[in-house]
Amino acid sequence: MSLTIGPAFTIPGYTTTAPPDYDIDGEATVYAADGVVGYPAFWLHYLSGPLGAHRESEVAFEVQAADYNAMCAVLNDPERWPVVSVRLDGEVWLRIVYRNFEEDEGLDFVEERPGRPAKVVASVEGHGFTSAMTWADLLAAAALPDERLTWAQRLILMLPMLGPQELPKDAEEVMHRALHGIGATHRSMLVGGLLDAMDWRIH
């Protein structure tokens, strides 16, 4: 598996500290990594990390260890923060940033609007989670027109943004369809694992 990311760019208003002293804020340089969504190893990593269903994801994707390790090396690189971009409405983008500080790793969901500073609308940390997205918001965002990503890819990419709430009765069926769309097998087990993993913030 050959993985390359880039080009580098900045998200206006999305700042970070820089070496060597890490006490000066500046716009973070990030690297376009949209191509990773075409690899099962990415979905294994994504569903295992932000969504916490590692065992079930391993069964669902059956990724070779070498491919998974290569994907981890790209996604966890502290020198080149990868970003997967999801177009929202018009020129509004959701930038999913792997914030790879050695002692402050996390996944930032950054909304970028023309003429406005970027806004972190959700974050998944090693020790916690913040978001207020509803299930209805998720379905509406996933259904927006997109020439780059499929409906299934969009829904799963934004799934970690769900805030605390009760899910509707058809949520399980929707997740089945989305997981089928990204190539997952043994989907009942994976849906169960995802619901269990997210239970603390959904109910």
Side-chain angles (χ1 to χ4, degrees), residues 11-17 24-28 81 99 101 108 118 120:
I11 306 169
Y14 180 67
T15 61
T16 183
T17 55
I24 301 174
D25 282 342
E27 288 190 344
W81 293 5
R99 176 172 31 83
F101 277 129
D108 288 339
V120 178

Side-chain angles (χ1 to χ4, degrees), residues 3-8 30-36 73-75 77 80-83:
L3 288 171
T4 57
I5 64 171
V30 295
Y31 293 80
D34 299 323
V36 297
V74 168
L75 297 179
D77 187 346
R80 293 162 59 91
W81 293 5
V83 174

Side-chain angles (χ1 to χ4, degrees), residues 14-196:
Y14 180 67
T15 61
T16 183
T17 55
D21 299 322
Y22 295 96
D23 60 358
I24 301 174
D25 282 342
E27 288 190 344
T29 299
V30 295
Y31 293 80
D34 299 323
V36 297
V37 302
Y39 294 91
F42 168 75
W43 297 110
L44 169 56
H45 185 282
Y46 197 74
L47 295 173
S48 298
L51 289 166
H54 183 74
R55 181 178 61 85
E56 296 85 358
S57 297
E58 282 188 325
V59 174
F61 291 101
E62 299 181 350
V63 173
Q64 296 294 320
D67 290 341
Y68 183 69
N69 291 338
M71 183 61 69
C72 289
V74 168
L75 297 179
N76 300 334
D77 187 346
E79 303 297 327
R80 293 162 59 91
W81 293 5
V83 174
V84 177
S85 297
V86 180
R87 185 185 291 276
L88 298 178
D89 190 15
E91 294 302 312
V92 182
W93 289 89
L94 179 70
R95 309 291 190 181
I96 304 174
V97 182
Y98 283 79
R99 176 172 31 83
N100 291 330
F101 277 129
E102 185 173 343
E103 296 183 0
D104 186 26
E105 294 181 346
L107 194 66
D108 288 339
F109 294 80
V110 183
E111 185 180 86
E112 181 182 359
R113 293 178 175 272
R116 299 186 189 178
K119 179 181 179 182
V120 178
V121 294
S123 290
V124 180
E125 312 285 348
H127 56 276
F129 171 88
T130 58
S131 179
M133 180 177 254
T134 67
W135 180 253
D137 292 337
L138 173 64
L139 294 184
L144 290 171
D146 194 328
E147 297 178 354
R148 301 162 55 257
L149 298 170
T150 66
W151 168 83
Q153 290 171 334
R154 290 173 62 87
L155 188 136
I156 298 299
L157 283 170
M158 291 184 282
L159 190 60
M161 297 175 66
L162 281 181
Q165 63 199 273
E166 293 285 345
L167 293 182
K169 292 181 180 180
D170 67 345
E172 186 170 340
E173 188 274 333
V174 171
M175 290 174 65
H176 266 279
R177 286 196 291 119
L179 290 170
H180 174 74
I182 63 170
T185 61
H186 302 283
R187 289 182 291 278
S188 293
M189 179 187 299
L190 181 51
V191 169
L194 290 171
L195 291 175
D196 287 346

